Amino acid sequence: MLLDSLSGETIPGATIYIPKAGVGVISSETGTFEVKLKPGSYLVQFSFTGYNPKEIEVAISPNEKLELEVTLSNITLKAVEINAYISDYTSGTAMSRTKLDMATIKVLPAFLGEVDLLKTIQLLPGVQAAGEGNSGFYVRGGGPDQNLILFDDALVYNGSHLLGFFSVFNSDAIEGVELYKGGMPAEYGERLASVIDITQRKGSKDRFQGRGGLGLISSRLTLEGPISKGKSSFIVSGRRTYVDALVAPFIPKDSEFGGSQYFFYDLNGRLDWDLGNGSSLYLSGYFGDDNFDFSSPQTEFKTDISWGNRIVSGGYQKVLSSDALFQVNGSFSRYNFGFSGSQDEFLLEFSSQISDYRIKPQFDFKIGTHHLKTGLTYTFHDIVPNKSSAEQGETIFNLGEPQQFYGHEAAIFISDEFNINENWKIEAGLRVSAFVQTGPFTRFVVDEAGAKQDTIDYGNGEIIADYLGWEPRLSTSYQISEKASVKASFTQNYQYIHLANLSPLALPTDVWLPSTDLVQPQLGRQYALGYFRLFDGGAIEASAEVYYKDMENLIEYKENTQPSDGVDNNEDNLLTFGRGESYGIELFLRKNTGKTTGWIGYTLSRTERQFDEINGGAWYPATFDRRHDIALVVAHRLSDKWTFSSNFVFGTGRAITLPVSGYFVENTLVYNYADRNSFRMRDYHRLDLSATYSTRTTKKRVDSISGEFIEVEKKVQSQWVFSIYNVYSRLNPYFYYFDNQGEAADGTFQVQAKQVSLFPILPSVTWNFQF
C-alpha cells in the first residue's frame, strides 16, 4: 500500500514501473498494487506527478511480500506489495480508457494561454471537437449530452466557458482526469457515450504555498496549505477574465457597443481532513458563471445573458483493511441559463435550470483472487426547462405557468474482476437502474398538429412514468505475450436525462429534459475489440480498437419547431424520436518517457441517425459525423529551462444542410433544401506551437557554518509560456450563409454562399508563478 508518511493517506495514481520485466502498474484508489514477477533482482521505479522519480533495487523470492521505504522529493511514501488488484496497459481488462495528468496537459499549446483540460481530451482518438464556438464534444458518435462529466464525483452539466473556447476547470486546481470511451465499469452509468472523471487536487498538509498566472485575457491564483499540520488542508483557486475591463476605456459610450461587456469567472475550493485509523473526509465546491451584457444607446435595446454551474460535494473514506475500502459521496449540482432583453418599455425574460441532489455509497474489496466493487447511486432531478415572462409597461402577458419536472434516478451495481488463468482476465458487472417521474405536473395533451386538446393534472409525488433498465458489462483481456494482449468489451447503458437543441451547435440555450410518459430513456449498446502492445520496455504504448454502437430513443425537436412553441406547453410535446449507429477504428501511439513525449491518434468512423419525422424517415449523417480525425501531439524538453510543444489536428468537415434551388413568391426567395446533412463544410485543420521558459529553481548563498556556497530552493519560482494558436492562420469555417445580390426582374439576381470564420493566427504569452 502506498501511504503519505505525513498524512497517512493512501496515494492513488502513482506509477510503479519495472524495466527488466517491461511491466508498469498504477496504484489503485486504496494505494495498493500487485505485480507478478519471476524470482530475481529487479530495478523498481516509482514516480508521481510533481515529484522527482525514484529507483530501488529489490530481490524477489516466490510469493514474497515486500515492504519498502520510498522517498519522492520531500514526501516519504511507504509501499507495501500485497495481494491487491491493479491493471496495467496490456494485462488489465481496461480498454477504451485514457488517463491524463496535469503535468502532461500543462505543457501543451493553449488557446490564448489558458490551459484547457477538455481541449486536451479532444486530441485523443474517438473524441471529436465540435469546432470553434461550440461548447460540445462528441465521443464515438454520441451527442454532447451523452458525456457524463464528474468533478469530485459531482455532475457537471456545462463544462465550457465562452461557447466552448475555455473549460470551466481551472488547471491549477486539478489533479488529473480519466476518460472512459467504452468498457465502462459497472460503477459508472447515466450516460451512453463516455465518462470524464475529474479529480480536484488536495491542498498541502505540510506548508502554505501558492501558484497562479497572468495571461492576456485572464488571471488565476491558487492558495493551499495546512489547517492542522499533517492532518487537514485547504485549497482555494480563482480565475477571472478581464477583457471587459481592458477594452471598456477604448469603446465610446455612444457607439453601438457602448456599455457592452463579457466576462467569466471560476472559484474552486476543497477541504480535506485525516481522521486517523485510515479514515478521511473532504468537502469540495465549484462556482462559475459567464456573463454577457449588450446595450445600444441608439436603439435603447439591452440584453443580459448569463449561464453557470454551482457544485458542492463531500465524501467520507475508510480503509477497512489492506483489501477493503468503503467510501460514500454526496453532491449538489445546479446549471442555470438566463436571458433578459428589453427595448423601450417591453421586457422579455427566459430561463432554464437543472438541479441534482446525489448520493453514492460504495464498497471496494477483495476475496481471494476476486476484486469486487458494489454500491448504489440515487439522484433527485429538479428541472425547469422553460420559464418565460413578458411585459409592456403596466401590461403583463400571460405566457403560462413555468414547466417543472421532477425525477428520481437510482442504480445498484456490482462488478468482479478475476483471472481465469495467468493470461486471461475478466471483469464482469451488472448495473440495474430505475427512473421515476413524479408530480406535481400538468400534462398538455396535443393533437398531431400540436394544438392543445386537454390537460391532465398530477398531484405531489404521484407517479407519472417509471422505467427499469438492466445494464450488463463485460470486459476481458487475453495476454498474448508479456508485452501484447487482445481485449474485448460489451457495455449496455440507459440514459434518463436528455438534451434538446434547436441549433446544430451545442449552446448554453439548449434545454435539459428528463424521461417522461412521452420520452423514453435512451438505450445504447457498444461492442469493442482491441489489440494493445508495449514497445521499448514499456516506454511506448500502441493500440488499435474497433467499435460498433447502436442507440435507441434518441431525441430531436420536430422540424420547423420554434423556441416560442414551448410557451404554455410541455417541452416534450415538441420532440420526435429516433435511433442511431456509429462504428469505426481508432489507432493510438503514445510515448510516455524521455525528453520527447507525445502521441498520435487517428480515427476512421461513421455516425448516422434515423427519425421517422426527419429527412423523410431516411438515414442521414449526424451533424458530428466525421470520417477522418487526426491529432498529433509532441512535447520536447530541450533543457531544464526550455520545453517546446506542438499539436496538429485534422478533421473532415462537419455535415450540414444547404439549399439546392429556390423560387420567388411575391418577390421573396424561398429555398428548396437538399437531404439533411448531405453537404460538408471545408475540412478543419490547425497547427499550434508553444514554448515554455522556466527560470532557475535554486539560487546560491553562503552557508553560515561552512562559509561555502550552497544551492537553496528559491521561494518564488516562475515560467513564461509563449504560444501561437493556428500558426498558418487557417480560416476554418464556423458557419455558412447566403448573400443575395441584384434583382430578379432584370436578370441580375445572384445568390452567393459565404463562409464565416472565427480565429486567424493568435499569439499569446502567460507568466506562471508558484511560491
Side-chain angles (χ1 to χ4, degrees):
M1 180 179 292
L2 292 175
L3 297 173
D4 186 322
S5 64
L6 293 178
S7 67
E9 293 181 351
T10 58
I11 308 274
T15 300
I16 302 95
Y17 181 62
I18 305 169
K20 182 178 178 180
V23 174
V25 300
I26 304 295
S27 60
S28 70
E29 293 177 356
T30 61
T32 59
F33 66 93
E34 181 182 281
V35 183
K36 293 183 178 180
L37 299 171
K38 298 176 181 179
S41 297
Y42 295 90
L43 178 69
V44 183
Q45 299 175 340
F46 296 84
S47 62
F48 193 60
T49 304
Y51 297 88
N52 295 320
K54 186 76 173 183
E55 297 181 347
I56 293 179
E57 287 279 357
V58 298
I60 304 295
S61 299
N63 300 318
E64 183 181 11
K65 298 179 182 179
L66 297 179
E67 182 171 339
L68 307 172
E69 283 285 338
V70 183
T71 301
L72 299 183
S73 198
N74 293 325
I75 303 296
T76 299
L77 305 179
K78 295 179 180 179
V80 180
E81 181 180 340
I82 62 171
N83 295 326
Y85 163 82
I86 184 66
S87 64
D88 63 58
Y89 187 72
T90 56
S91 66
T93 58
M95 65 179 301
S96 309
R97 192 180 308 181
T98 305
K99 273 189 176 183
L100 292 173
D101 57 43
M102 292 311 300
T104 300
I105 295 172
K106 284 185 176 182
V107 77
L108 301 182
F111 177 70
L112 293 178
E114 281 296 313
V115 175
D116 197 314
L117 182 152
L118 294 184
K119 291 294 185 186
T120 303
I121 287 177
Q122 293 166 23
L123 297 174
L124 298 172
V127 185
Q128 299 174 359
E132 292 166 342
N134 192 326
S135 61
F137 61 93
Y138 311 102
V139 179
R140 289 186 171 178
D145 65 321
Q146 295 177 354
N147 302 312
L148 179 69
I149 303 178
L150 297 174
F151 181 70
D152 276 350
D153 209 51
L155 296 167
V156 180
Y157 281 95
N158 181 53
S160 299
H161 288 303
L162 191 58
L163 303 179
F165 293 117
F166 303 104
S167 163
V168 300
F169 305 107
N170 186 341
S171 60
D172 287 343
I174 303 302
E175 179 69 36
V177 58
E178 188 165 12
L179 167 70
Y180 299 80
K181 298 178 293 183
M184 295 179 195
E187 63 191 278
Y188 294 108
E190 304 171 71
R191 301 293 186 272
L192 300 190
S194 73
V195 177
I196 298 96
D197 196 350
I198 301 165
T199 305
Q200 189 168 198
R201 206 161 53 80
K202 297 179 181 180
S204 171
K205 293 179 181 177
D206 182 36
R207 65 184 181 90
F208 178 80
Q209 57 192 45
R211 65 181 69 185
L214 298 173
L216 294 180
I217 66 166
S218 68
S219 293
R220 63 188 189 279
L221 177 64
T222 300
L223 301 175
E224 60 181 292
I227 300 174
S228 176
K229 193 168 184 178
K231 293 183 178 180
S232 57
S233 67
F234 76 91
I235 182 171
V236 59
S237 185
R239 176 177 61 161
R240 191 194 190 278
T241 56
Y242 38 69
V243 174
D244 53 327
L246 295 177
V247 173
F250 302 98
I251 301 179
K253 293 184 178 181
D254 58 351
S255 73
E256 292 185 2
F257 297 97
S260 301
Q261 65 173 358
Y262 168 81
F263 70 90
F264 71 76
Y265 75 89
D266 298 308
L267 181 64
N268 298 69
R270 176 167 171 142
L271 303 173
D272 285 273
W273 294 270
D274 174 22
L275 305 178
N277 297 319
S279 298
S280 60
L281 189 70
Y282 82 88
L283 181 64
S284 171
Y286 169 85
F287 307 90
D289 277 314
D290 288 67
N291 286 274
F292 173 73
D293 296 324
F294 174 81
S295 61
S296 172
Q298 290 85 358
T299 63
E300 296 186 357
F301 174 73
K302 297 180 180 180
T303 185
D304 178 20
I305 305 174
S306 64
W307 63 95
N309 297 288
R310 302 285 185 273
I311 298 171
V312 178
S313 67
Y316 170 78
Q317 177 176 291
K318 171 69 175 179
V319 179
L320 303 174
S321 70
S322 59
D323 290 338
L325 172 72
F326 169 75
Q327 52 189 347
V328 59
N329 303 91
S331 65
F332 165 77
S333 302
R334 173 172 290 168
Y335 170 69
N336 60 275
F337 171 83
F339 168 86
S340 174
S342 63
Q343 188 169 18
D344 298 326
E345 294 186 347
F346 180 76
L347 172 65
L348 174 65
E349 294 182 331
F350 166 83
S351 64
S352 64
Q353 178 177 284
I354 179 168
S355 302
D356 283 351
Y357 304 82
R358 190 169 189 257
I359 187 168
K360 181 182 179 182
Q362 177 177 322
F363 284 95
D364 187 335
F365 57 99
K366 186 181 180 187
I367 301 176
T369 60
H370 294 263
H371 179 216
L372 297 103
K373 290 184 180 181
T374 185
L376 60 90
T377 63
Y378 167 76
T379 306
F380 172 68
H381 302 283
D382 181 357
I383 304 174
V384 183
N386 189 335
K387 182 179 180 181
S388 304
S389 64
E391 58 184 74
Q392 177 90 40
E394 300 295 326
T395 303
I396 299 177
F397 299 94
N398 181 14
L399 301 182
E401 293 296 320
Q403 303 176 54
Q404 193 155 8
F405 296 85
Y406 299 99
H408 304 263
E409 182 175 356
I412 184 170
F413 61 86
I414 185 170
S415 66
D416 182 12
E417 189 159 14
F418 57 94
N419 293 338
I420 299 294
N421 53 43
E422 285 189 356
N423 298 322
W424 190 7
K425 184 175 291 184
I426 289 178
E427 181 177 0
L430 177 63
R431 181 183 181 93
V432 182
S433 59
F435 185 88
V436 179
Q437 181 199 5
T438 60
F441 180 70
T442 299
R443 164 62 64 198
F444 296 103
V445 182
V446 298
D447 59 22
E448 292 185 0
K452 189 185 303 182
Q453 300 295 314
D454 196 5
T455 60
I456 303 175
D457 292 318
Y458 295 92
N460 187 30
E462 186 176 354
I463 295 177
I464 304 167
D466 60 272
Y467 299 96
L468 181 70
W470 294 83
E471 306 180 25
R473 314 290 172 83
L474 181 65
S475 298
T476 183
S477 170
Y478 187 81
Q479 196 86 16
I480 300 173
S481 67
E482 291 184 354
K483 299 180 181 179
S485 66
V486 175
K487 303 183 183 184
S489 68
F490 168 76
T491 305
Q492 178 167 298
N493 285 13
Y494 280 88
Q495 179 171 329
Y496 300 99
I497 302 296
H498 320 270
L499 187 66
N501 53 331
L502 287 170
S503 167
L505 304 177
L507 298 171
T509 54
D510 297 341
V511 172
W512 288 94
L513 291 168
S515 295
T516 67
D517 53 329
L518 298 183
V519 182
Q520 296 186 42
Q522 298 179 52
L523 170 61
R525 302 179 190 89
Q526 183 179 153
Y527 311 81
L529 177 67
Y531 174 75
F532 296 78
R533 175 66 191 264
L534 293 173
F535 296 94
D536 193 21
I540 298 176
E541 301 171 349
S543 66
E545 293 188 46
V546 293
Y547 69 90
Y548 173 80
K549 180 192 296 183
D550 67 271
M551 295 161 280
E552 300 176 13
N553 304 324
L554 303 181
I555 71 168
E556 291 277 3
Y557 277 111
K558 296 176 182 178
E559 290 188 324
N560 303 317
T561 297
Q562 301 298 320
S564 58
D565 295 342
V567 175
D568 199 23
N569 194 0
N570 300 133
E571 200 75 23
D572 52 359
N573 281 330
L574 311 177
L575 302 176
T576 184
F577 310 97
R579 54 191 175 131
E581 67 174 13
S582 178
Y583 50 90
I585 182 171
E586 300 168 0
L587 306 177
F588 191 48
L589 184 68
R590 180 175 179 177
K591 186 175 184 293
N592 296 312
T593 61
K595 287 190 173 182
T596 302
T597 58
W599 67 81
I600 181 171
Y602 169 71
T603 304
L604 173 67
S605 63
R606 187 180 187 90
T607 302
E608 294 183 314
R609 298 286 188 263
Q610 189 275 324
F611 290 77
D612 291 341
E613 298 185 38
I614 296 177
N615 201 45
W619 285 86
Y620 61 89
T623 301
F624 39 88
D625 173 56
R626 183 174 292 176
R627 196 71 65 247
H628 304 282
D629 194 80
I630 302 172
L632 173 64
V633 176
V634 178
H636 178 71
R637 187 168 177 263
L638 183 66
S639 65
D640 291 340
K641 292 185 177 182
W642 284 101
T643 299
F644 298 91
S645 65
S646 66
N647 60 255
F648 172 78
V649 293
F650 171 89
T652 302
R654 185 161 55 86
I656 57 174
T657 306
L658 294 178
V660 292
S661 63
Y663 55 92
F664 285 94
V665 177
E666 296 181 355
N667 293 322
T668 299
L669 180 61
V670 178
Y671 288 111
N672 289 319
Y673 285 85
D675 291 342
R676 192 173 179 109
N677 293 342
S678 57
F679 286 89
R680 295 277 178 176
M681 287 186 171
R682 295 171 62 202
D683 293 338
Y684 184 100
H685 52 87
R686 191 188 76 244
L687 173 67
D688 307 327
L689 298 176
S690 177
T692 302
Y693 175 78
S694 301
T695 60
R696 285 179 57 90
T697 59
T698 61
K699 63 181 180 180
K700 290 184 178 181
R701 69 173 177 83
V702 178
D703 184 77
S704 59
I705 299 177
S706 65
E708 298 179 352
F709 283 99
I710 59 174
E711 292 278 346
V712 296
E713 189 176 271
K714 287 184 175 180
K715 291 184 178 181
V716 179
Q717 302 175 10
S718 65
Q719 61 178 205
W720 290 89
V721 181
F722 308 93
S723 60
I724 304 176
Y725 179 86
N726 197 3
V727 171
Y728 51 86
S729 201
R730 162 75 172 181
L731 295 179
N732 290 299
Y734 179 45
F735 66 83
Y736 295 133
Y737 72 95
F738 290 87
D739 184 31
N740 303 334
Q741 297 178 351
E743 299 291 336
D746 58 13
T748 62
F749 183 83
Q750 291 183 337
V751 179
Q752 185 177 9
K754 294 187 177 182
Q755 173 183 304
V756 174
S757 301
L758 291 180
F759 297 116
I761 183 172
L762 286 175
S764 64
V765 59
T766 303
W767 178 61
N768 297 322
F769 59 89
Q770 63 181 44
F771 56 87

